[in-house]
Amino acid sequence: MTGTVAMSEASIVDAELLAIEEINAAGGVLGRKIEAIVEDGASDWPTYAEKARKLLESDKVSVVFGGYTSASRKAILPIFERNKGLLYYPTFYEGLEQSPAIMYTGQEASQQSIAAVNWLMENKGKSVYLIGSDYLWPRTTNRIARAAIGKQGGTVVGEDYFPLGHIEFSSVINKIRAAKPDIILSTVVGGSNVAFHKQLQAAGINSGNQTLLALAISEEEIIGIGAENLVGFLTCMSYFQSLDNPANERFVAAFKERYGQNRVIGDTMATAYTGVYLWKQAVEKAGTFDVPAVIAASADMTFDAPEGEVRVHAENHHLWKRARIGEINAEGQVDVIYESDLIEPNPFPSL
């Protein structure tokens, strides 16, 4: 809710609370109302661990919806496994993980970074500059992306990382200009994106002369960065607010009615909202809040989500999902230019 990642994460809580309010208004789960306990990880991984222990050991919650960065997830994963808790994790991430305590409702690498690289190599060129924030998700994602680039006959012409909250990108922008990549693949996260994209524009780097695909920018981040700094750049997600289907129309209308017509919705907000409903559906199928029974009931379960139908994998706790590539427009929305078929989750792709 606070700190450098709040730009992306605070709105996820809004989406989860909306789902909880809707479920409670419809009678709750197994005849019981959901009581939401909201804790702030403050963009600080030890704080995440402290809050996870509180929720599981003191509050004894039935389920937790939360985490955004992979660093936060890694900080709380052993706590959930030790306490036999259940976490629904909403964020696209690097994969290379499977836990009995976690249901992953976001994309793993084969559904995002690998899908994006394959499309870029086919449509936008072969030389790539990798830039990211300096923690687990960007570094691992780029290791996977580098392998995918090589498989497609591409080359990586530069790779740089900066601490979360970093705001001075002039030196790396000069390196990018010198390298002249066909593509910039960005895994910059949180508030750093504001400085990075404003400084790119100031340096004369824009969609008219440079392909850039950002793996951590959705409509929610566009508002904070400014659409004028992003027009024509690309993003790859499973969900965009502009998707035309009845479930998404209901979700967008309900969210705006609850939080204001000027609010926008990004991928992790939609996957977080979906996670609450997947838990409800699994509990009702199992007939109990008992975690092992809920997990068992989740296998092969389908749900008509705002992103379209998703399906829980029978074994690896991830979702079958589509990869979508979109172009950011001047209104701060995203125009879809590519959509895959449903991709079976493979959290351990061969590199």
Side-chain angles (χ1 to χ4, degrees):
M1 303 294 286
T2 58
T4 188
V5 190
M7 176 183 178
S8 300
E9 195 165 6
S11 293
I12 294 172
V13 179
D14 293 339
E16 290 162 344
L17 290 175
L18 173 64
I20 289 168
E21 290 171 6
E22 290 176 344
I23 291 167
N24 282 343
V29 184
L30 297 183
R32 299 173 70 177
K33 298 293 179 71
I34 304 170
E35 177 189 348
I37 301 171
V38 180
E39 295 289 352
D40 181 12
S43 303
D44 176 68
W45 324 141
T47 301
Y48 268 93
E50 173 194 333
K51 300 298 187 180
R53 281 190 291 270
K54 173 188 177 291
L55 289 168
L56 293 171
E57 297 172 7
S58 299
D59 299 322
K60 299 191 183 302
V61 298
S62 300
V63 62
V64 176
F65 305 96
Y68 179 79
T69 64
S70 286
S72 68
R73 190 191 67 257
K74 291 294 188 183
I76 61 180
L77 183 152
I79 298 165
F80 276 85
E81 291 186 344
R82 182 169 63 249
N83 287 277
K84 295 181 171 54
L86 177 58
L87 172 71
Y88 281 75
Y89 177 69
T91 314
F92 48 87
Y93 85 114
E94 69 280 355
L96 308 182
E97 181 180 292
Q98 182 176 332
S99 169
I102 301 180
M103 305 298 289
Y104 305 81
T105 63
Q107 306 88 277
E108 44 76 30
S110 70
Q111 299 165 324
Q112 191 193 30
S113 56
I114 294 174
V117 164
N118 290 344
W119 184 88
L120 289 166
M121 294 290 100
E122 186 174 337
N123 294 280
K124 295 295 182 179
K126 295 292 187 180
S127 63
V128 184
Y129 202 108
L130 304 173
I131 179 169
S133 297
D134 192 6
Y135 70 97
L136 177 67
W137 175 70
R139 284 189 174 273
T140 307
T141 293
N142 284 337
R143 179 163 63 87
I144 293 168
R146 181 182 279 272
I149 290 164
K151 283 184 178 179
Q152 297 296 323
T155 57
V156 174
V157 297
E159 185 170 359
D160 282 288
Y161 298 93
F162 299 90
L164 281 166
H166 188 79
I167 57 171
E168 178 47 64
F169 290 94
S170 57
S171 61
V172 74
I173 288 171
N174 287 334
K175 289 171 67 176
I176 290 169
R177 295 178 77 165
K180 295 181 170 62
D182 296 324
I183 299 155
I184 300 171
L185 185 64
S186 172
T187 48
V188 176
V189 171
S192 294
N193 268 313
V194 180
F196 178 50
H197 283 280
K198 286 184 175 179
Q199 289 166 33
L200 281 174
Q201 293 293 315
I205 298 175
N206 55 57
S207 60
N209 54 41
Q210 178 68 66
T211 296
L212 181 149
L213 189 144
L215 288 171
I217 291 180
S218 71
E219 294 89 334
E220 179 69 2
E221 287 77 24
I222 293 169
I223 293 295
I225 298 164
E228 68 277 8
N229 297 307
L230 293 164
V231 171
F233 285 156
L234 306 174
T235 178
C236 180
M237 300 283 172
S238 285
Y239 170 88
F240 295 117
Q241 183 182 308
S242 57
L243 292 181
D244 183 12
N245 66 65
N248 189 44
E249 289 176 7
R250 290 193 298 272
F251 172 51
V252 172
F255 189 90
K256 287 178 174 287
E257 181 179 350
R258 174 67 176 79
Y259 296 109
Q261 293 301 311
N262 292 329
R263 291 291 300 273
V264 297
I265 302 170
D267 181 90
T268 49
M269 297 161 69
T271 57
Y273 178 87
T274 293
V276 179
Y277 273 98
L278 285 173
W279 173 75
K280 170 187 182 290
Q281 191 170 306
V283 168
E284 291 175 342
K285 182 179 175 183
T288 176
F289 295 95
D290 184 61
V291 168
V294 171
I295 291 172
S298 298
D300 286 323
M301 197 170 66
T302 62
F303 178 68
D304 186 18
E307 68 188 75
E309 186 177 87
V310 296
R311 183 163 81 250
V312 182
H313 195 274
E315 298 172 358
N316 64 34
H317 289 196
H318 293 68
L319 302 185
W320 291 67
K321 297 170 73 75
R322 287 177 169 81
R324 294 180 171 99
I325 292 174
E327 184 175 290
I328 298 167
N329 64 37
E331 287 70 49
Q333 287 295 303
V334 178
D335 301 317
V336 178
I337 59 176
Y338 166 77
E339 177 177 305
S340 74
D341 295 330
L342 275 177
I343 300 172
E344 180 177 4
N346 177 17
F348 297 95
S350 57
L351 303 179

